[in-house]
Protein backbone atom coordinates (compact mmCIF):
# COMPACT_ATOMS: atom_id res chain seq x y z
CA UNK A 1 0.00 0.00 0.00
CA UNK A 2 1.35 3.40 -1.00
CA UNK A 3 0.76 5.04 2.38
CA UNK A 4 1.43 2.11 4.66
CA UNK A 5 -1.32 0.31 6.52
CA UNK A 6 -2.77 3.24 8.45
CA UNK A 7 -2.36 1.28 11.65
CA UNK A 8 -0.10 2.36 14.49
CA UNK A 9 -0.17 4.45 17.60
CA UNK A 10 0.71 7.96 18.65
CA UNK A 11 0.53 11.30 16.90
CA UNK A 12 1.03 10.46 13.26
CA UNK A 13 1.03 13.96 11.90
CA UNK A 14 1.29 17.39 13.46
CA UNK A 15 1.20 20.49 11.28
CA UNK A 16 1.70 23.89 12.85
CA UNK A 17 0.54 22.48 16.21
CA UNK A 18 -2.64 20.71 14.99
CA UNK A 19 -2.38 16.94 15.38
CA UNK A 20 -4.02 13.75 14.25
CA UNK A 21 -3.07 10.25 15.21
CA UNK A 22 -2.82 7.73 12.45
CA UNK A 23 -6.31 6.33 12.80
CA UNK A 24 -7.77 9.82 12.95
CA UNK A 25 -5.90 10.83 9.81
CA UNK A 26 -7.08 7.77 7.92
CA UNK A 27 -10.69 8.20 8.88
CA UNK A 28 -10.72 11.97 8.20
CA UNK A 29 -9.09 11.22 4.83
CA UNK A 30 -11.69 8.49 4.20
CA UNK A 31 -14.40 11.16 4.53
CA UNK A 32 -12.64 13.14 1.79
CA UNK A 33 -12.18 10.01 -0.33
CA UNK A 34 -15.90 9.36 -0.11
CA UNK A 35 -16.64 12.80 -1.56
CA UNK A 36 -14.07 12.77 -4.34
CA UNK A 37 -14.13 9.13 -5.52
CA UNK A 38 -14.58 8.99 -9.27
CA UNK A 39 -13.36 12.55 -9.96
CA UNK A 40 -10.87 12.96 -12.82
CA UNK A 41 -8.49 14.92 -10.58
CA UNK A 42 -8.73 17.11 -7.47
CA UNK A 43 -6.92 20.39 -6.83
CA UNK A 44 -5.65 20.81 -3.26
CA UNK A 45 -4.93 24.21 -1.75
CA UNK A 46 -1.32 23.59 -0.71
CA UNK A 47 -1.18 25.65 2.48
CA UNK A 48 0.87 24.24 5.34
CA UNK A 49 -2.00 22.78 7.37
CA UNK A 50 -3.37 19.51 8.65
CA UNK A 51 -6.30 19.92 6.22
CA UNK A 52 -3.88 19.78 3.31
CA UNK A 53 -2.49 16.47 4.57
CA UNK A 54 -6.03 15.11 5.04
CA UNK A 55 -7.01 16.27 1.54
CA UNK A 56 -3.97 14.73 -0.15
CA UNK A 57 -4.34 11.43 1.69
CA UNK A 58 -8.07 11.44 0.88
CA UNK A 59 -7.38 11.86 -2.82
CA UNK A 60 -4.78 9.10 -2.75
CA UNK A 61 -7.09 6.72 -0.86
CA UNK A 62 -9.72 7.34 -3.53
CA UNK A 63 -7.21 6.76 -6.36
CA UNK A 64 -7.90 10.25 -7.73
CA UNK A 65 -4.89 12.22 -9.06
CA UNK A 66 -4.04 15.00 -6.62
CA UNK A 67 -2.97 18.39 -7.97
CA UNK A 68 -1.23 20.44 -5.25
CA UNK A 69 -1.65 24.17 -5.89
CA UNK A 70 1.00 26.48 -4.42
CA UNK A 71 -0.50 28.27 -1.44
CA UNK A 72 1.10 31.56 -2.50
CA UNK A 73 0.08 31.31 -6.16
CA UNK A 74 -1.47 34.30 -7.82
CA UNK A 75 -4.58 34.32 -9.94
CA UNK A 76 -3.05 33.52 -13.36
CA UNK A 77 -0.90 30.65 -12.11
CA UNK A 78 -3.73 29.14 -10.07
CA UNK A 79 -6.14 29.37 -13.00
CA UNK A 80 -3.58 27.75 -15.31
CA UNK A 81 -2.99 24.83 -12.93
CA UNK A 82 -6.68 24.24 -12.34
CA UNK A 83 -7.63 24.36 -16.03
CA UNK A 84 -4.62 22.52 -17.39
CA UNK A 85 -4.89 19.68 -14.87
CA UNK A 86 -8.57 19.02 -15.54
CA UNK A 87 -9.24 19.06 -11.78
CA UNK A 88 -12.98 19.02 -11.16
CA UNK A 89 -13.03 19.75 -7.42
CA UNK A 90 -11.18 22.15 -5.09
CA UNK A 91 -10.17 20.76 -1.71
CA UNK A 92 -9.52 23.15 1.15
CA UNK A 93 -9.89 26.87 1.73
CA UNK A 94 -11.58 28.43 -1.33
CA UNK A 95 -9.33 30.67 -3.45
CA UNK A 96 -10.29 33.29 -5.99
CA UNK A 97 -10.52 32.33 -9.63
CA UNK A 98 -10.65 28.54 -9.50
CA UNK A 99 -14.26 28.23 -10.63
CA UNK A 100 -14.42 24.76 -9.06
CA UNK A 101 -16.91 23.33 -6.58
CA UNK A 102 -15.29 23.38 -3.14
CA UNK A 103 -15.09 20.21 -1.09
CA UNK A 104 -14.71 21.06 2.59
CA UNK A 105 -11.93 19.25 4.42
CA UNK A 106 -12.32 18.73 8.15
CA UNK A 107 -9.63 16.90 10.13
CA UNK A 108 -12.24 16.22 12.83
CA UNK A 109 -14.53 14.26 10.50
CA UNK A 110 -14.61 10.45 10.66
CA UNK A 111 -15.59 7.88 8.02
CA UNK A 112 -14.93 4.20 7.48
CA UNK A 113 -15.32 4.48 3.70
CA UNK A 114 -12.79 2.21 2.00
CA UNK A 115 -11.77 1.43 -1.56
CA UNK A 116 -9.35 -1.17 -2.91
CA UNK A 117 -5.73 0.01 -3.30
CA UNK A 118 -5.41 1.70 -6.73
CA UNK A 119 -3.05 0.31 -9.38
CA UNK A 120 0.64 1.19 -8.87
CA UNK A 121 0.66 2.51 -12.44
CA UNK A 122 -2.11 5.04 -11.78
CA UNK A 123 -1.28 8.71 -11.28
CA UNK A 124 -0.75 9.75 -7.67
CA UNK A 125 0.09 13.40 -8.22
CA UNK A 126 0.14 16.01 -10.94
CA UNK A 127 2.91 18.38 -9.82
CA UNK A 128 3.26 21.66 -11.69
CA UNK A 129 6.83 22.64 -12.40
CA UNK A 130 8.56 25.35 -14.39
CA UNK A 131 10.49 24.98 -17.64
CA UNK A 132 12.80 27.63 -19.07
CA UNK A 133 9.88 29.13 -20.98
CA UNK A 134 6.09 28.97 -20.91
CA UNK A 135 3.70 28.28 -18.05
CA UNK A 136 4.40 25.43 -15.58
CA UNK A 137 3.86 21.90 -16.88
CA UNK A 138 2.00 19.17 -15.01
CA UNK A 139 4.33 16.26 -14.25
CA UNK A 140 2.35 13.02 -13.98
CA UNK A 141 3.78 11.09 -11.05
CA UNK A 142 2.62 7.49 -10.74
CA UNK A 143 2.10 5.72 -7.44
CA UNK A 144 4.84 3.20 -8.21
CA UNK A 145 7.39 6.02 -8.57
CA UNK A 146 6.48 7.47 -5.18
CA UNK A 147 6.64 4.05 -3.51
CA UNK A 148 9.98 3.16 -5.13
CA UNK A 149 11.52 6.50 -4.19
CA UNK A 150 10.40 6.45 -0.58
CA UNK A 151 11.60 2.87 -0.08
CA UNK A 152 14.99 3.71 -1.59
CA UNK A 153 15.36 6.78 0.63
CA UNK A 154 14.27 4.90 3.74
CA UNK A 155 17.00 2.39 2.98
CA UNK A 156 19.63 5.10 2.31
CA UNK A 157 18.88 7.00 5.51
CA UNK A 158 17.95 4.07 7.82
CA UNK A 159 14.59 5.82 8.14
CA UNK A 160 12.30 3.72 10.37
CA UNK A 161 9.15 4.12 12.49
CA UNK A 162 11.52 4.97 15.37
CA UNK A 163 12.37 8.27 13.69
CA UNK A 164 10.46 11.49 14.21
CA UNK A 165 10.59 13.56 11.04
CA UNK A 166 10.72 17.35 11.41
CA UNK A 167 10.43 19.94 8.63
CA UNK A 168 8.44 23.01 7.67
CA UNK A 169 8.65 22.90 3.90
CA UNK A 170 5.82 23.83 1.54
CA UNK A 171 3.24 21.08 1.00
CA UNK A 172 2.93 21.64 -2.76
CA UNK A 173 6.30 20.36 -3.97
CA UNK A 174 8.06 17.02 -3.99
CA UNK A 175 10.39 17.83 -1.11
CA UNK A 176 7.78 18.83 1.49
CA UNK A 177 4.87 16.73 0.26
CA UNK A 178 6.27 13.51 -1.21
CA UNK A 179 9.33 13.06 1.00
CA UNK A 180 8.09 15.10 3.93
CA UNK A 181 4.51 13.80 4.26
CA UNK A 182 4.05 10.66 2.17
CA UNK A 183 7.50 9.49 3.29
CA UNK A 184 6.57 9.72 6.95
CA UNK A 185 3.27 7.93 6.30
CA UNK A 186 4.84 5.13 4.25
CA UNK A 187 7.69 4.57 6.69
CA UNK A 188 5.35 4.95 9.68
CA UNK A 189 7.37 7.63 11.45
CA UNK A 190 5.58 10.53 13.17
CA UNK A 191 5.80 13.88 11.38
CA UNK A 192 6.22 17.24 13.10
CA UNK A 193 5.62 19.91 10.45
CA UNK A 194 6.60 23.29 11.84
CA UNK A 195 4.31 25.41 9.65
CA UNK A 196 7.25 27.54 8.45
CA UNK A 197 10.85 26.34 8.16
CA UNK A 198 12.33 28.91 10.53
CA UNK A 199 15.35 28.19 12.75
CA UNK A 200 13.30 28.87 15.89
CA UNK A 201 10.56 26.47 14.77
CA UNK A 202 13.06 23.67 14.00
CA UNK A 203 14.70 24.20 17.38
CA UNK A 204 11.32 24.18 19.15
CA UNK A 205 10.36 20.94 17.37
CA UNK A 206 13.62 19.35 18.46
CA UNK A 207 13.07 20.41 22.07
CA UNK A 208 9.37 19.50 22.08
CA UNK A 209 10.17 16.05 20.73
CA UNK A 210 12.73 15.49 23.42
CA UNK A 211 10.27 16.47 26.16
CA UNK A 212 7.74 13.94 24.87
CA UNK A 213 10.39 11.25 24.86
CA UNK A 214 10.50 11.00 21.07
CA UNK A 215 12.99 13.57 19.93
CA UNK A 216 12.93 14.95 16.41
CA UNK A 217 15.53 12.68 14.84
CA UNK A 218 15.37 13.31 11.11
CA UNK A 219 15.29 16.90 9.80
CA UNK A 220 14.68 17.95 6.19
CA UNK A 221 15.55 21.37 4.75
CA UNK A 222 16.52 23.27 1.63
CA UNK A 223 19.92 25.01 1.77
CA UNK A 224 18.31 28.37 2.65
CA UNK A 225 16.82 26.75 5.74
CA UNK A 226 20.18 25.23 6.75
CA UNK A 227 21.97 28.49 6.09
CA UNK A 228 19.53 30.41 8.31
CA UNK A 229 19.94 27.80 11.06
CA UNK A 230 23.73 27.93 10.75
CA UNK A 231 23.55 31.70 11.30
CA UNK A 232 21.48 31.18 14.48
CA UNK A 233 23.79 29.18 16.79
CA UNK A 234 21.23 28.83 19.58
CA UNK A 235 18.68 27.19 17.28
CA UNK A 236 21.41 25.12 15.67
CA UNK A 237 22.51 23.79 19.07
CA UNK A 238 18.99 22.47 19.69
CA UNK A 239 19.49 20.11 16.75
CA UNK A 240 22.54 18.46 18.29
CA UNK A 241 20.42 15.50 19.46
CA UNK A 242 19.21 14.76 15.92
CA UNK A 243 20.14 11.54 14.16
CA UNK A 244 20.35 12.95 10.63
CA UNK A 245 19.96 16.27 8.81
CA UNK A 246 19.15 16.10 5.10
CA UNK A 247 19.64 18.89 2.56
CA UNK A 248 18.26 19.03 -0.95
CA UNK A 249 16.46 20.96 -3.72
CA UNK A 250 19.47 23.23 -4.38
CA UNK A 251 23.24 23.25 -3.84
CA UNK A 252 24.36 23.30 -0.21
CA UNK A 253 27.23 25.79 0.19
CA UNK A 254 30.39 24.32 1.83
CA UNK A 255 30.41 27.14 4.36
CA UNK A 256 26.90 26.27 5.55
CA UNK A 257 27.79 22.61 6.04
CA UNK A 258 30.93 23.63 7.93
CA UNK A 259 29.12 26.16 10.15
CA UNK A 260 26.36 23.69 10.97
CA UNK A 261 28.85 21.03 11.95
CA UNK A 262 30.56 23.54 14.23
CA UNK A 263 27.25 24.64 15.78
CA UNK A 264 25.47 21.30 16.27
CA UNK A 265 27.89 18.54 15.35
CA UNK A 266 26.02 17.57 12.18
CA UNK A 267 26.83 18.08 8.54
CA UNK A 268 23.72 17.31 6.44
CA UNK A 269 23.63 14.44 3.97
CA UNK A 270 22.71 15.71 0.53
CA UNK A 271 20.42 14.25 -2.05
CA UNK A 272 19.50 15.33 -5.55
CA UNK A 273 16.35 15.07 -7.61
CA UNK A 274 13.70 16.77 -9.68
CA UNK A 275 9.94 16.94 -9.74
CA UNK A 276 9.99 14.75 -12.85
CA UNK A 277 12.31 12.08 -11.48
CA UNK A 278 11.78 12.35 -7.72
CA UNK A 279 15.00 11.82 -5.78
CA UNK A 280 17.47 9.85 -7.87
CA UNK A 281 20.81 10.31 -6.12
CA UNK A 282 21.47 10.39 -2.38
CA UNK A 283 24.26 10.13 0.13
CA UNK A 284 23.69 7.31 2.58
CA UNK A 285 23.40 8.04 6.29
CA UNK A 286 26.26 5.70 7.08
CA UNK A 287 28.63 7.06 4.42
CA UNK A 288 31.35 9.57 5.27
CA UNK A 289 30.13 13.12 4.51
CA UNK A 290 31.47 14.62 1.29
CA UNK A 291 30.30 18.22 1.24
CA UNK A 292 29.21 19.31 -2.22
CA UNK A 293 28.69 15.71 -3.38
CA UNK A 294 25.07 14.58 -3.52
CA UNK A 295 25.69 10.83 -3.33
CA UNK A 296 25.22 7.74 -5.45
CA UNK A 297 22.33 6.56 -7.62
CA UNK A 298 19.54 5.08 -5.51
CA UNK A 299 18.62 1.40 -5.95
CA UNK A 300 16.48 1.01 -9.09
CA UNK A 301 18.10 4.05 -10.74
CA UNK A 302 20.95 4.53 -13.18
CA UNK A 303 22.79 7.70 -14.09
CA UNK A 304 25.13 8.71 -16.89
CA UNK A 305 26.86 11.87 -18.14
CA UNK A 306 26.65 13.06 -21.71
CA UNK A 307 28.44 15.89 -23.53
CA UNK A 308 26.93 18.55 -25.74
CA UNK A 309 26.70 16.20 -28.73
CA UNK A 310 25.53 13.16 -26.78
CA UNK A 311 29.05 11.74 -26.35
CA UNK A 312 29.83 9.87 -23.11
CA UNK A 313 31.70 11.82 -20.41
CA UNK A 314 34.11 9.86 -18.22
CA UNK A 315 33.27 9.24 -14.55
CA UNK A 316 36.63 10.57 -13.41
CA UNK A 317 35.48 13.15 -10.88
CA UNK A 318 36.34 15.98 -13.27
CA UNK A 319 34.57 15.66 -16.62
CA UNK A 320 31.37 17.73 -16.74
CA UNK A 321 28.35 16.54 -18.68
CA UNK A 322 24.57 16.62 -18.59
CA UNK A 323 23.27 14.24 -15.93
CA UNK A 324 20.83 11.76 -17.44
CA UNK A 325 18.81 9.27 -15.40
CA UNK A 326 16.50 6.30 -15.84
CA UNK A 327 14.67 3.95 -13.54
CA UNK A 328 11.78 3.25 -11.24
CA UNK A 329 11.10 6.74 -9.89
CA UNK A 330 10.56 8.58 -13.16
CA UNK A 331 7.37 10.39 -14.07
CA UNK A 332 5.09 9.40 -16.95
CA UNK A 333 5.32 12.65 -18.88
CA UNK A 334 3.89 16.17 -18.93
CA UNK A 335 0.11 16.28 -18.97
CA UNK A 336 -1.20 17.03 -22.47
CA UNK A 337 2.27 17.88 -23.81
CA UNK A 338 3.54 14.95 -25.90
CA UNK A 339 6.23 17.04 -27.61
CA UNK A 340 7.70 18.41 -24.39
CA UNK A 341 7.53 14.89 -22.96
CA UNK A 342 9.38 13.39 -25.93
CA UNK A 343 11.99 16.15 -25.80
CA UNK A 344 12.71 15.37 -22.15
CA UNK A 345 14.07 11.91 -23.03
CA UNK A 346 17.03 10.92 -25.21
CA UNK A 347 16.43 8.62 -28.17
CA UNK A 348 17.72 5.70 -26.09
CA UNK A 349 15.41 6.26 -23.13
CA UNK A 350 17.27 8.42 -20.59
CA UNK A 351 15.71 11.48 -18.96
CA UNK A 352 17.65 14.69 -19.56
CA UNK A 353 17.87 16.50 -16.23
CA UNK A 354 19.32 19.72 -17.64
CA UNK A 355 21.80 19.70 -14.75
CA UNK A 356 25.55 19.71 -15.34
CA UNK A 357 27.33 17.20 -13.13
CA UNK A 358 30.52 15.25 -12.56
CA UNK A 359 30.69 11.65 -11.33
CA UNK A 360 33.66 9.95 -9.78
CA UNK A 361 34.90 6.38 -10.04
CA UNK A 362 32.86 5.35 -6.99
CA UNK A 363 29.63 6.61 -8.50
CA UNK A 364 29.35 9.80 -6.40
CA UNK A 365 27.85 12.85 -8.09
CA UNK A 366 28.51 16.57 -7.78
CA UNK A 367 26.05 19.00 -9.36
CA UNK A 368 27.99 21.86 -10.89
CA UNK A 369 25.15 23.96 -12.31
CA UNK A 370 22.24 24.13 -14.72
CA UNK A 371 22.74 23.77 -18.46
CA UNK A 372 20.45 26.81 -18.97
CA UNK A 373 20.69 30.23 -17.31
CA UNK A 374 16.92 30.44 -17.73
CA UNK A 375 16.24 27.90 -14.98
CA UNK A 376 16.52 29.62 -11.61
CA UNK A 377 16.57 28.04 -8.13
CA UNK A 378 15.66 30.54 -5.44
CA UNK A 379 15.21 29.36 -1.86
CA UNK A 380 14.86 25.85 -3.34
CA UNK A 381 12.01 26.92 -5.63
CA UNK A 382 12.40 26.25 -9.35
CA UNK A 383 11.43 29.27 -11.45
CA UNK A 384 11.65 29.63 -15.23
CA UNK A 385 13.01 32.99 -16.37
CA UNK A 386 10.59 32.85 -19.32
CA UNK A 387 7.43 32.65 -17.22
CA UNK A 388 8.47 35.70 -15.18
CA UNK A 389 9.46 37.63 -18.33
CA UNK A 390 6.11 36.86 -19.96
CA UNK A 391 4.24 38.35 -16.99
CA UNK A 392 6.56 41.38 -16.81
CA UNK A 393 5.93 42.10 -20.48
CA UNK A 394 2.22 42.26 -19.65
CA UNK A 395 2.83 45.27 -17.38
CA UNK A 396 1.94 48.49 -19.21
CA UNK A 397 5.19 50.27 -18.25
CA UNK A 398 7.49 47.45 -19.40
CA UNK A 399 8.78 47.33 -22.99
CA UNK A 400 11.54 44.73 -22.65
CA UNK A 401 12.43 42.28 -19.90
CA UNK A 402 15.25 39.89 -19.05
CA UNK A 403 15.15 37.84 -15.86
CA UNK A 404 18.21 36.20 -14.36
CA UNK A 405 19.17 34.39 -11.17
CA UNK A 406 21.98 36.17 -9.36
CA UNK A 407 24.08 34.65 -6.60
CA UNK A 408 22.56 35.28 -3.17
CA UNK A 409 23.94 34.24 0.23
CA UNK A 410 20.48 33.48 1.62
CA UNK A 411 18.42 32.20 -1.32
CA UNK A 412 21.21 30.64 -3.42
CA UNK A 413 19.90 32.62 -6.35
CA UNK A 414 17.81 35.76 -6.26
CA UNK A 415 15.49 36.67 -9.10
CA UNK A 416 16.57 39.94 -10.71
CA UNK A 417 14.59 41.60 -13.52
CA UNK A 418 16.31 43.92 -15.99
CA UNK A 419 13.64 46.10 -17.55
CA UNK A 420 13.42 48.67 -20.31
CA UNK A 421 10.41 50.97 -20.21
CA UNK A 422 8.84 54.23 -19.20
CA UNK A 423 7.90 55.18 -15.62
CA UNK A 424 8.64 51.76 -14.12
CA UNK A 425 8.00 51.51 -10.38
CA UNK A 426 10.03 48.52 -9.08
CA UNK A 427 7.61 47.86 -6.19
CA UNK A 428 4.59 47.89 -8.50
CA UNK A 429 6.28 45.54 -10.95
CA UNK A 430 7.30 43.12 -8.17
CA UNK A 431 3.74 43.05 -6.82
CA UNK A 432 2.43 42.58 -10.37
CA UNK A 433 4.39 39.30 -10.63
CA UNK A 434 3.54 38.17 -7.07
CA UNK A 435 -0.18 38.68 -7.69
CA UNK A 436 -0.22 36.79 -10.99
CA UNK A 437 2.40 34.03 -10.71
CA UNK A 438 3.23 33.42 -7.09
CA UNK A 439 4.92 35.26 -4.27
CA UNK A 440 8.04 33.09 -4.47
CA UNK A 441 8.45 33.86 -8.19
CA UNK A 442 8.55 37.62 -7.69
CA UNK A 443 11.78 39.45 -8.60
CA UNK A 444 13.60 40.47 -5.45
CA UNK A 445 15.18 43.30 -7.38
CA UNK A 446 14.34 45.36 -10.47
CA UNK A 447 17.04 47.19 -12.45
CA UNK A 448 15.76 49.67 -15.01
CA UNK A 449 18.19 49.94 -17.95
CA UNK A 450 18.25 51.88 -21.23
CA UNK A 451 18.69 48.78 -23.35
CA UNK A 452 19.29 45.05 -22.96
CA UNK A 453 22.51 43.59 -24.40
CA UNK A 454 21.69 41.74 -27.63
CA UNK A 455 23.75 39.83 -30.19
CA UNK A 456 23.69 40.44 -33.94
CA UNK A 457 20.59 38.22 -34.21
CA UNK A 458 18.78 40.35 -31.62
CA UNK A 459 18.92 37.65 -28.93
CA UNK A 460 19.35 38.93 -25.36
CA UNK A 461 22.81 38.15 -23.97
CA UNK A 462 21.93 37.29 -20.37
CA UNK A 463 25.52 36.43 -19.54
CA UNK A 464 26.36 40.11 -19.94
CA UNK A 465 23.80 41.19 -17.33
CA UNK A 466 24.97 42.00 -13.78
CA UNK A 467 26.55 39.01 -12.08
CA UNK A 468 24.43 36.42 -13.87
CA UNK A 469 26.17 33.01 -13.88
CA UNK A 470 28.59 32.55 -16.79
C1 LIG B 1 6.94 39.77 0.48
N1 LIG B 1 5.83 39.06 0.72
C2 LIG B 1 4.98 39.34 -0.25
C3 LIG B 1 5.60 40.25 -1.13
N2 LIG B 1 6.80 40.51 -0.63
N3 LIG B 1 3.75 38.94 -0.50
C4 LIG B 1 3.10 39.40 -1.59
N4 LIG B 1 3.64 40.27 -2.48
C5 LIG B 1 4.87 40.74 -2.28
N5 LIG B 1 5.39 41.59 -3.16
C6 LIG B 1 5.65 38.17 1.88
C7 LIG B 1 5.21 36.76 1.67
O1 LIG B 1 3.83 36.63 1.49
C8 LIG B 1 5.60 36.12 2.99
O2 LIG B 1 4.66 36.47 3.98
C9 LIG B 1 6.88 36.82 3.31
O3 LIG B 1 6.92 37.97 2.49
C10 LIG B 1 8.12 36.00 3.07
O4 LIG B 1 7.96 35.35 1.89
P1 LIG B 1 9.22 34.93 1.08
O5 LIG B 1 10.01 36.16 0.82
O6 LIG B 1 8.81 34.12 -0.07
O7 LIG B 1 9.99 33.98 2.09
P2 LIG B 1 11.48 33.64 2.10
O8 LIG B 1 12.01 34.10 3.39
O9 LIG B 1 12.21 34.08 0.90
O10 LIG B 1 11.41 32.05 2.05
C11 LIG B 1 12.52 31.28 2.23
C12 LIG B 1 12.09 29.81 2.35
C13 LIG B 1 11.28 29.46 1.10
C14 LIG B 1 11.25 29.66 3.61
C15 LIG B 1 13.32 28.97 2.47
O11 LIG B 1 12.04 29.84 -0.02
C16 LIG B 1 10.90 28.02 1.04
O12 LIG B 1 10.01 27.55 1.74
N6 LIG B 1 11.58 27.22 0.17
C17 LIG B 1 11.32 25.83 -0.02
C18 LIG B 1 11.11 25.51 -1.46
C19 LIG B 1 10.92 24.02 -1.72
O13 LIG B 1 10.35 23.32 -0.89
N7 LIG B 1 11.41 23.52 -2.84
C20 LIG B 1 11.36 22.12 -3.14
C21 LIG B 1 11.03 21.92 -4.58
P3 LIG B 1 4.23 35.49 5.16
O14 LIG B 1 5.50 35.23 5.93
O15 LIG B 1 3.25 36.27 5.95
O16 LIG B 1 3.67 34.27 4.51
S1 LIG B 1 11.01 20.12 -4.93
C22 LIG B 1 12.61 19.87 -5.46
O17 LIG B 1 13.36 20.77 -5.59
C23 LIG B 1 13.23 18.52 -5.69
C24 LIG B 1 12.36 17.37 -5.93
C25 LIG B 1 14.16 18.27 -4.58
O18 LIG B 1 15.30 17.99 -4.85
O19 LIG B 1 13.70 18.44 -3.42
P1 LIG C 1 12.44 20.85 -8.82
O1 LIG C 1 11.87 20.31 -10.02
O2 LIG C 1 11.82 22.02 -8.22
O3 LIG C 1 12.39 19.71 -7.98
O4 LIG C 1 13.94 21.25 -9.06
C1 LIG C 1 14.88 20.33 -9.54
C2 LIG C 1 16.23 20.96 -9.64
O5 LIG C 1 16.72 21.31 -8.35
C3 LIG C 1 17.28 20.07 -10.21
O6 LIG C 1 17.21 20.00 -11.61
C4 LIG C 1 18.55 20.73 -9.68
O7 LIG C 1 18.92 21.80 -10.51
C5 LIG C 1 18.14 21.26 -8.34
N1 LIG C 1 18.58 20.41 -7.23
C6 LIG C 1 17.85 19.53 -6.51
N2 LIG C 1 18.61 18.98 -5.54
C7 LIG C 1 19.85 19.51 -5.64
C8 LIG C 1 21.08 19.35 -4.93
N3 LIG C 1 21.18 18.52 -3.88
N4 LIG C 1 22.15 20.07 -5.33
C9 LIG C 1 22.06 20.90 -6.38
N5 LIG C 1 20.93 21.11 -7.09
C10 LIG C 1 19.84 20.42 -6.72
Amino acid sequence: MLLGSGAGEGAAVSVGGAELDREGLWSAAAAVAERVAGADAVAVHGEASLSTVVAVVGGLLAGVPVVPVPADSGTAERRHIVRDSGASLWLGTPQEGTGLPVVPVDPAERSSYALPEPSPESTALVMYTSGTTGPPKGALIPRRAVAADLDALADAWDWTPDDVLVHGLPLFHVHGLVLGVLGALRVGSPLLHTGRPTPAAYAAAARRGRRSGRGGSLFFGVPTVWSRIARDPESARALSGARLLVSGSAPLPDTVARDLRAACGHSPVERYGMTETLITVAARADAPRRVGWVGTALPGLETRLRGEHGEPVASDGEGVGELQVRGATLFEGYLGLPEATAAAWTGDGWFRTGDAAVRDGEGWHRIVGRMSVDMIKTGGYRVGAGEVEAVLLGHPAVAEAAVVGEADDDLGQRIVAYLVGDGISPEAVIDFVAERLSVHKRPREVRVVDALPRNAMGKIQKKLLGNAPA
Side-chain angles (χ1 to χ4, degrees):
M1 286 169 83
L2 178 60
L3 301 175
S5 66
E9 289 177 14
V13 176
S14 159
V15 186
E19 270 183 19
L20 272 179
D21 64 15
R22 234 174 143 74
E23 269 178 50
L25 171 58
W26 251 254
S27 79
V32 171
E34 196 168 357
R35 294 201 185 96
V36 305
D40 290 338
V42 291
V44 172
H45 178 49
E47 64 181 354
S49 74
L50 198 54
S51 296
T52 301
V53 175
V54 170
V56 170
V57 174
L60 293 174
L61 290 179
V64 174
V66 171
V67 186
V69 181
D72 67 344
S73 61
T75 43
E77 184 165 286
R78 192 182 307 124
R79 199 172 299 129
H80 164 70
I81 293 174
V82 164
R83 286 201 187 142
D84 190 72
S85 65
S88 56
L89 298 169
W90 179 268
L91 271 59
T93 315
Q95 301 292 305
E96 189 196 329
T98 69
L100 295 180
V102 175
V103 174
V105 179
D106 179 1
E109 213 175 336
R110 298 290 174 263
S111 161
S112 54
Y113 181 77
L115 282 169
E117 177 76 1
S119 153
E121 290 308 320
S122 61
T123 301
L125 297 159
V126 187
M127 303 286 268
Y128 276 78
T129 190
S130 299
T132 51
T133 57
K137 301 189 280 286
L140 297 164
I141 301 179
R143 297 172 81 97
R144 52 123 182 109
V146 173
D149 209 42
L150 296 175
D151 290 349
L153 290 173
D155 176 63
W157 298 333
D158 298 327
W159 184 2
T160 71
D162 290 337
D163 276 305
V164 176
L165 175 63
V166 177
H167 73 92
L169 296 167
L171 298 184
F172 47 83
H173 279 315
V174 164
H175 197 162
L177 183 62
V178 176
L179 276 59
V181 174
L182 306 186
L185 297 177
R186 185 166 173 87
V187 168
S189 63
L191 164 65
L192 264 176
H193 188 284
T194 58
R196 298 289 296 254
T198 61
Y202 274 40
R207 294 192 194 105
R208 179 189 132 168
R210 267 196 287 290
R211 274 201 303 280
S212 65
R214 295 206 64 186
S217 59
L218 179 59
F219 288 74
F220 289 171
V222 296
T224 301
V225 170
W226 294 126
S227 138
R228 290 178 182 183
I229 292 175
R231 279 187 270 117
D232 177 349
E234 200 186 318
S235 295
R237 256 195 310 280
L239 302 191
S240 56
R243 182 178 70 79
L244 188 68
L245 314 185
V246 182
S247 179
S249 303
L252 180 70
D254 297 3
T255 47
V256 172
R258 192 193 58 213
D259 292 351
L260 264 181
R261 182 184 277 280
C264 71
H266 291 288
S267 179
V269 290
E270 293 184 62
R271 89 297 175 291
Y272 158 88
M274 293 182 76
T275 304
E276 291 89 334
T277 63
L278 305 184
I279 307 307
T280 49
V281 171
R284 298 185 64 86
D286 56 9
R289 299 288 183 275
R290 292 178 68 185
V291 176
W293 293 78
V294 293
T296 51
L298 286 168
L301 285 144
E302 294 171 88
T303 63
R304 71 179 191 185
L305 299 180
R306 284 294 181 266
E308 220 177 310
H309 306 292
E311 72 282 8
V313 172
S315 292
D316 57 7
E318 284 177 17
V320 177
E322 182 187 25
L323 181 60
Q324 300 183 351
V325 299
R326 69 176 180 191
T329 66
L330 266 63
F331 76 140
E332 299 272 83
Y334 299 110
L335 178 63
L337 297 170
E339 282 171 20
T341 300
W345 269 273
T346 63
D348 58 348
W350 292 73
F351 178 79
R352 302 173 201 269
T353 65
D355 287 304
V358 302
R359 197 170 64 166
D360 73 6
E362 279 148 32
W364 279 72
H365 301 72
R366 191 160 61 82
I367 307 299
V368 298
R370 290 288 310 179
M371 310 291 284
S372 167
V373 293
D374 286 332
M375 190 70 94
I376 299 168
K377 264 270 156 157
T378 180
Y381 285 116
R382 171 169 155 186
V383 182
E387 61 181 322
V388 183
E389 287 160 1
V391 169
L392 289 167
L393 290 171
H395 189 283
V398 175
E400 293 177 50
V403 166
V404 295
E406 293 194 356
D408 185 275
D409 283 347
D410 180 44
L411 297 171
Q413 285 185 300
R414 148 175 114 258
I415 301 177
V416 177
Y418 287 84
L419 302 178
V420 178
D422 251 349
I424 293 173
S425 147
E427 296 72 31
V429 162
I430 290 169
D431 287 347
F432 190 78
V433 175
E435 283 158 17
R436 282 160 183 78
L437 286 183
S438 50
V439 171
H440 66 267
K441 292 182 178 172
R442 71 190 190 277
R444 302 291 170 130
E445 205 180 317
V446 164
R447 296 193 190 134
V448 180
V449 292
D450 292 335
L452 296 173
R454 292 180 186 270
N455 66 11
M457 310 292 289
K459 189 174 179 303
I460 297 171
Q461 302 291 282
K462 290 199 175 176
K463 289 175 181 165
L464 300 179
L465 286 170
N467 64 351

